Amino acid sequence: MAAPFSRLLEMLRPDLLRFAFWLARDRSVAEDVVQETLIRAWKSQDELKDPAAARPWLFTIVRREHARLYERKRLPTVDVEEIEALGDPALASDGDAGLTDLRRAIMQLPDEYREPLVLQVLGGFTTSEIAASLPSNHTIATTRPLAAPRRFCTLYVRPLP
C-alpha cells in the first residue's frame, strides 16, 4: 500500500500547498503545514479506507495542522499590502490590476467565507463536500459554501457605470 499511497500524496501535494497558502498567507508556513500534513497522513494511512476520500481527508488535515500552529504559538503577522508592494512572488503579482483586486477581495473575506470559497475554487470540492468538512453545525455548514461566492461578489464585483 505504501507505493500507491505515496503516489497519491505526491499527486495531491500541489493542491494541499495552494490551500495551505490561502489559509496561512505565507509560503514558508504553508510548506510547513503541508509537510506536517503529509507526515500525519503517512502515519495514519490505515485509517483511510476509501482512496476516493483521500482529497477531503487531506484537506481536513491541512486545516487542522494550520489551526495547531496557533494553538502552539502566535506567529508574527505581516501586512498583505506591504508584501504586495514588495512584489513578493508568492503572491504571483504580475502587475495585473484585475488580479490584484481579485486577491485583495478574497483576502478581505472573513475566514468563515474565504475557506469555503477557496475549497470550491482551488480544491474543486462540491458544496456538500465543503459542508461536510467544515467544523460547524449542520445549518451553518450547508449555507457557508453557498454564501461565500455571494459575499465575495459584494467585495469584488462592481456595478457597471
Side-chain angles (χ1 to χ4, degrees):
M1 175 162 175
F5 190 71
S6 180
R7 283 193 301 276
L8 178 67
L9 293 179
E10 187 177 318
M11 181 182 73
L12 292 174
R13 188 179 186 289
D15 293 338
L16 298 174
L17 186 57
R18 277 192 297 276
F19 181 56
F21 178 72
W22 277 103
L23 289 173
R25 300 178 190 162
D26 180 289
R27 181 118 182 131
S28 63
V29 171
E31 289 171 354
D32 289 346
V33 166
V34 170
Q35 186 66 32
E36 290 299 320
T37 297
L38 296 177
I39 290 169
R40 191 169 294 270
W42 187 263
K43 289 178 181 177
S44 304
Q45 63 184 296
D46 293 335
E47 294 176 22
L48 183 64
K49 303 299 180 209
D50 179 11
R55 187 179 178 95
W57 181 63
L58 288 166
F59 272 71
T60 299
I61 296 172
V62 166
R63 184 183 317 102
R64 289 180 181 159
E65 285 301 316
H66 179 256
R68 277 188 190 91
L69 290 175
Y70 300 100
E71 290 172 1
R72 289 182 236 151
K73 64 179 180 179
R74 197 69 180 147
L75 297 173
T77 58
V78 177
D79 182 17
V80 174
E81 299 291 329
E82 186 178 309
I83 292 174
E84 189 176 301
L86 295 173
D88 188 331
L91 292 177
S93 179
D94 59 2
D96 182 346
L99 190 56
T100 300
D101 288 345
L102 177 67
R103 284 193 182 97
R104 185 173 291 121
I106 290 172
M107 292 301 198
Q108 285 177 354
L109 284 171
D111 288 341
E112 67 265 17
Y113 291 102
R114 184 176 57 250
E115 186 175 345
L117 182 66
V118 169
L119 283 170
Q120 187 176 35
V121 174
L122 294 180
F125 287 92
T126 65
T127 302
S128 57
E129 289 171 329
I130 295 168
S133 74
L134 291 176
S136 58
N137 74 44
H138 181 72
T139 305
I140 292 173
T142 54
T143 58
R144 285 275 157 75
L146 298 172
R150 286 193 297 265
R151 183 77 179 256
F152 171 74
C153 285
T154 63
L155 294 171
Y156 183 67
V157 178
R158 292 164 186 77
L160 294 173

